[in-house]
Every structure is written in structure tokens, then in C-alpha cells.
Amino acid sequence: MTGAGTADAVETVFRIESARIIAGVTRIVRDVGIAEELAQDALVAALEQWPESGVPDRPGAWLMATAKHRAVDLVRRKETYARKLAEVGRALEDVPPPEPSDAEDIDDDLLRLVFTACHPVLPAPARIALTLRLLGGLTTPEIARAFLVAEPTVAQRVVRAKRTLAEARVPFEVPYGTERSARLSSVLEVIYLVFNEGYTATAGDDLVRPALCEDALRLVRVLANLMPDEPEVHGLAALLEFQASRIPARTGPAGEPVLLADQNRAKWNRILIRRGVDALHRGGHGPYSLQAAIAAHHALALRYEDTDWAAIATLYDRLLAQSPSPVVELNRAVAVSMAEGPAAALKLVDALAVDPALKGYHLLPSVRGDLLERLGRVPEAREEFERAAALARNARERELLLARAARSG
Amino acid sequence: MPRFLTLIRIDENNAPEGGPSPELQERMGELLAEMTKAGVMLDNAGLTPTSQGTRVTWSGGKLSSTDGPFTETKEVVGGYLLIQAKDKAEALEWTHRFLRVHEEHWTVTTEVREIAENC
């Protein structure tokens, strides 16, 4: 194999294996920042050695072993240093000894890494950046591009996050008991936020950034395999599979958004829908599972007219009872408008209009405009679409809303 | 992330007697589990022999069909992997791993094809 070919092979293997390597090494050095550096060192060693020796039969295992050797060396050096310090009468540094490890622990290490990257001691944007970096294998420029923020901002977030974890001495563990469900919800939220940013970009020119959706989908699939007994993980997996199945139909040829009612359902990805149904069967009754159940009703309706809106409205009732939110209430109002007519829904939406949480949320006037249009109150509908367009931060959504305003002229 | 279909071609006339060894089956099981855990595997399956297959052709406005086995074809599709990967290099790496679990006396040819999206 040529040098360039080997370099490509090394990088590909590294991308596949990096999360597991970082996870395995973090268990030894207890610091994700140092672990990431050691994993990079192993990559450099591979780039130096493989062109000479050839790519090993089990390249992932080679990288893991190399990184772990370096980690153990590092810890030993620190221990020696600490002992010498103690000999001269200073305090012994608290360095944990390296632990024996074998391949079967890799899954646990990966899970610990997920929980560490999503630790609540970090602000949400830092959790997202660190998760994409350590588990999604994304580079800083890739993360910056995906979230439309400057590269130095992302780099700073990642550096600060690693330092915060080290300073807070966040244990490298999967918590148990009540803390587990609290921490798990942070993990699921990060994946959910990454997916949503890709599914409907909050700003910018593109409606959809499918790469982010795919990264989130991959993370949740990995998590579902790591935590098969957690129903909400399967619930979120189901929700994302269903949502992702519609991506090819959500935009038209010019990148313009296509509403659910107008989507060509033949473009929906049936494999993802089937995977969503499988995951939903393993889901529970939590908020993600309920949202997945709603998405399933859409995914399984062969035509828009076949949608069971009454069932969807009932699911929204259950979702509201569990996790009240004005956005969920707004979505419920849409389902009610389809099940019972626009007049019933308009009352609900009008009640929501005073909610300060929805002030500035473009979908409120958008839904209201839709209901008014269906009630024949055209001039009022146009005003609402115009208001929605002014609030929308995504260029594609804004265009669609302005077009609807013009049409109700 | 793009999806890739890896078509697994085998020579039915020269396939190892008795099919895959228990060791191969075990290694394959481990690899497929790893691919599933890595979030890469969407679907995979082996196909029954072409003796149970039928070719159906539409040509000149007419349907015609031929029952298997398709002994005139050296290599037939014996199975497939449907995977989702960052890029073709990653899809190829997983395909290499799939091939490496086989013993030396196997001859397996794979064809890695990216699925055209939005068509």
C-alpha cells in the first residue's frame, strides 16, 4: 500500500475507533482532555509505523493498545513524581492507579464517556460540542460549520469544557439510582438538540443540515445498544428514526420547505420507518416515547388524509400531563384543528398567545394564520403570516411564510 | 451520512463444502454485533441459493422469467450489508473487516455501492 493510501486507512480506522480509544484511555488517566491527546498520539504512531509495517490485522486493537500503553506510562511517571515529592516531605498527589482492563469493558467505557461529556456541570453548548468531538468524531471546524458559529468559539468551548470536567473532578462513571435518570435525560437532550439543529436549522440559509441529523441518529443508535434496558433511549431512537425518514421529502428542488401535508410520501425512507417501529416497541411511556408514538402515526399514514388526528391529540394530552410546555400545547392545538376543526383550535391558540414563553416564536403566528385562513378570515391570516415571517430566523422558513402571506392576499 | 449497499458475491459452484464453519459464524456474529453497536449497520442478510431464485425480465414489452440455479453466472449475489457511514472510506473499512473474518479457503467478492439519495 502506498504512503498516502496508508494515511487514509489510518484516518478512517481512527475515526471509527476514536471514541472507544478515548473512552478506554480516560478510564486510566481520568481526564478526557489528556485521553484525547493520547489517542491522537496513537494516531501519529500509526501514521509513522503502518507505512513500514503495513496495516495490522486488527487496526482498532493496535490503536487502543498503543494509546493505553502511553496512558499507563503517563500515570506511572506521575506516581513516581508524586512519591518523590512525598519523600521530600510534600503532600502526596492523588493519582489513581491504572486499572486492568479487557475488551469487554469497552462498552462500559464508552457509556462512561457519554455521561461525562454530557455532565450537567457543563453548559448545554459545551456538552453538545464535547459530545460531537469525543463521540461523534467531528473536528472543531465541522462542529463550527454545523452550528454556524466561529471556529475559535467552538475550540474555546471544548477546551473550557475539558478543563471544567478536570477541575470539578467529575468521576468517570455511569451513575446509578436517581442520579442516573437525571443524568440520562441530559444525555438524551444533547442528542435531541443536535438532531433538531440539523432538522430545522434555527438560523441560516439551509432548512436542513442532514449531516447533523445523521450524527445524532448514530449517537442514539450507539446509546440504544449500550443501554438496552432504558425505555426512553429507545423512545428517542424511535423518534429520530421517524423524523429522519422524512428528510428527503422535507425540501423541494430549490431547498424550499415542503409542509407535511404536501410531502411526497414515496420519498420517506421505509427502512428508517421500520427501524423506528422496532425501537418504539422497546420504548416506554416517557416524553420521547410519546413523541415517537406521535411521529409513528404520521410515518405509518400512507396518505395525509389517513392521519389519525384524534389519536395524535390524545397522545399530546398525555405528553402535556408529563411535561407541560407551551410548544407542546401549540402542537396539540394543530392536532385538535385537524380532529375537531379550526374553530376549536383557535381558542386554544388564542389562550397561548399571552404566554410570554412563546413571544417571538414564529410558529405561533404561523399556526394562527393557518387556522384563520381555514376559517375564511383571510386578511387576519395574512397579517399573522407576515408576523411569523418577521420572526423566523431561517431564511427558507421565512420565504415560505411570505409566500403564504402573499397567497392569502 | 450516506448509505452504502455492499453486495456480497460468491461462486455457488465453488463455495466451501458444508457452508461457513462454526468459528466463522461466531466471528461474523461478533462483527455484525460490533457494527450494530457502532450505529453503522442498518440491515444485513444472506440470500438463499439461486436454485430457489427466479429472474424476471421486462423486455420488448413482455415479461419472461427463468428459474434458478443460475449456473452460467460465475458469481451471484449471496447476501448484502446495508450500512450508514461517514464516507466511502469508512464503508470500505467495514467491508474489509467483513471479508477478513472468513478463512483463507473462501473466495468472496464484494461490491460497495453508494445509495443515490433524493432520486
Side-chain angles (χ1 to χ4, degrees):
Chain A
M1 196 179 273
T2 65
T6 314
D8 287 347
V10 174
E11 273 172 32
T12 303
V13 172
F14 185 72
R15 200 170 54 206
I16 294 173
E17 305 290 342
S18 68
R20 295 162 51 151
I21 297 170
I22 293 167
V25 173
T26 305
R27 184 141 62 91
I28 300 170
V29 299
R30 308 266 161 186
D31 182 312
V32 290
I34 294 172
E36 200 192 358
E37 280 167 31
L38 290 168
Q40 294 283 348
D41 286 351
L43 172 68
V44 172
L47 284 168
E48 284 166 1
Q49 291 176 35
W50 292 3
E52 300 278 324
S53 61
V55 177
D57 271 355
R58 297 177 58 218
W62 190 99
L63 285 166
M64 178 72 95
T66 305
K68 279 193 170 177
H69 280 145
R70 285 169 190 234
V72 170
D73 282 350
L74 185 75
V75 173
R76 281 209 188 109
R77 275 206 303 280
K78 273 196 182 171
E79 278 181 334
T80 312
Y81 178 63
R83 204 165 47 239
K84 283 186 178 155
L85 282 182
E87 278 164 14
V88 295
R90 300 203 195 148
L92 189 72
E93 221 184 307
D94 175 26
V95 180
E99 290 170 18
S101 60
D102 57 66
E104 283 156 28
D105 293 333
I106 288 174
D107 287 354
D108 293 340
D109 287 344
L110 210 48
L111 202 51
R112 289 187 190 106
L113 186 63
V114 175
F115 275 86
T116 305
C118 297
H119 196 280
V121 76
L122 303 173
R127 282 182 229 169
I128 291 170
L130 200 60
T131 302
L132 288 175
R133 172 72 171 262
L134 298 181
L135 292 142
L138 266 68
T139 61
T140 301
E142 281 170 336
I143 300 170
R145 229 180 3 256
F147 282 91
L148 302 177
V149 284
E151 264 182 53
T153 310
V154 174
Q156 209 176 26
R157 257 177 217 168
V158 170
V159 169
R160 221 179 267 160
K162 287 187 217 162
R163 199 192 306 144
T164 305
L165 290 177
E167 283 170 3
R169 294 182 174 256
V170 166
F172 188 58
E173 64 176 16
V174 178
Y176 284 90
T178 49
E179 207 199 327
R180 181 177 177 131
S181 51
R183 289 278 295 282
L184 181 61
S185 70
S186 163
V187 172
L188 297 179
E189 191 191 357
V190 163
I191 298 175
Y192 185 69
L193 289 174
V194 170
F195 185 90
N196 279 348
E197 187 55 31
Y199 198 63
T200 307
T202 48
D205 293 336
D206 296 323
L207 180 74
V208 189
R209 289 201 283 277
L212 268 184
C213 293
E214 303 289 8
D215 285 323
L217 198 52
R218 187 143 148 176
L219 286 171
V220 77
R221 285 177 188 155
V222 171
L223 196 62
N225 283 293
L226 293 174
M227 305 188 87
D229 299 329
E230 291 286 349
E232 273 299 86
V233 176
H234 295 293
L236 180 62
L239 176 61
L240 300 195
E241 300 275 10
F242 286 132
Q243 301 289 80
S245 75
R246 294 207 286 269
I247 288 175
R250 284 185 73 237
T251 48
E256 74 279 12
V258 180
L259 298 175
L260 185 63
D262 304 325
Q263 286 176 14
N264 175 1
R265 296 184 177 218
K267 285 187 170 180
W268 289 3
N269 187 322
R270 307 309 304 185
I271 286 182
L272 296 189
I273 291 174
R274 201 192 70 205
R275 293 177 60 92
V277 171
D278 290 346
L280 189 58
H281 284 312
R282 306 177 71 183
H285 307 282
Y288 292 118
S289 300
L290 285 174
Q291 288 182 70
I294 291 166
H297 274 290
H298 292 301
L300 297 173
L302 291 178
R303 299 172 307 158
Y304 184 69
E305 305 82 71
D306 300 338
T307 314
D308 186 347
W309 291 103
I312 290 174
T314 307
L315 285 165
Y316 274 121
D317 286 339
R318 286 171 57 191
L319 188 57
L320 272 175
Q322 261 185 29
S323 44
S325 128
V327 172
V328 174
E329 279 187 57
L330 184 63
N331 288 330
R332 178 173 171 273
V334 174
V336 167
S337 83
M338 298 306 293
E340 298 171 28
L346 189 60
K347 279 189 204 131
L348 301 173
V349 174
D350 285 344
L352 280 172
V354 293
D355 195 314
L358 291 182
K359 193 172 176 285
Y361 186 57
H362 67 288
L363 290 182
L364 177 72
S366 167
V367 167
R368 199 161 182 276
D370 190 57
L371 298 175
L372 289 166
E373 194 179 56
R374 283 161 60 194
L375 287 166
R377 292 159 63 177
V378 174
E380 289 169 88
R382 188 182 59 229
E383 272 179 40
E384 290 289 358
F385 285 132
E386 281 169 356
R387 187 171 302 148
L391 291 170
R393 287 168 60 208
N394 181 289
R396 298 300 188 173
E397 281 189 289
R398 193 160 51 237
E399 283 165 18
L400 177 78
L401 289 163
L402 286 174
R404 295 194 75 183
R407 211 176 53 203
S408 32
Chain B
M1 270 184 292
R3 290 177 295 156
F4 295 87
L5 183 66
T6 296
L7 296 166
I8 302 155
R9 295 180 185 277
I10 52 161
D11 181 351
E12 279 190 335
N13 301 324
N14 280 311
E17 297 261 334
S21 64
E23 294 78 21
L24 170 55
Q25 290 182 33
E26 195 185 326
R27 285 195 300 272
M28 190 61 77
E30 281 171 15
L31 177 71
L32 296 180
E34 189 190 341
M35 292 174 77
T36 305
K37 279 183 182 169
V40 170
M41 177 69 77
L42 294 178
D43 196 16
N44 71 86
L47 304 184
T48 54
T50 61
S51 56
Q52 295 171 41
T54 303
R55 277 185 184 156
V56 187
T57 307
W58 174 254
S59 174
K62 284 201 182 108
L63 279 175
S64 62
S65 61
T66 318
D67 287 333
F70 308 124
T71 43
E72 79 284 7
T73 317
K74 192 169 182 325
E75 285 177 333
V76 297
V77 176
Y80 67 90
L81 310 171
L82 182 60
I83 65 182
Q84 192 150 27
K86 284 268 182 205
D87 54 24
K88 190 174 173 196
E90 191 186 324
L92 284 175
E93 171 61 28
W94 287 110
T95 302
H96 292 167
R97 293 184 186 191
F98 167 82
L99 289 171
R100 276 198 213 108
V101 301
H102 291 78
E103 291 98 352
E104 276 178 18
H105 59 265
W106 281 85
T107 302
V108 189
T109 307
T110 51
E111 191 175 313
V112 179
R113 305 281 299 274
E114 182 170 347
I115 291 176
E117 305 284 352
N118 291 328
C119 293

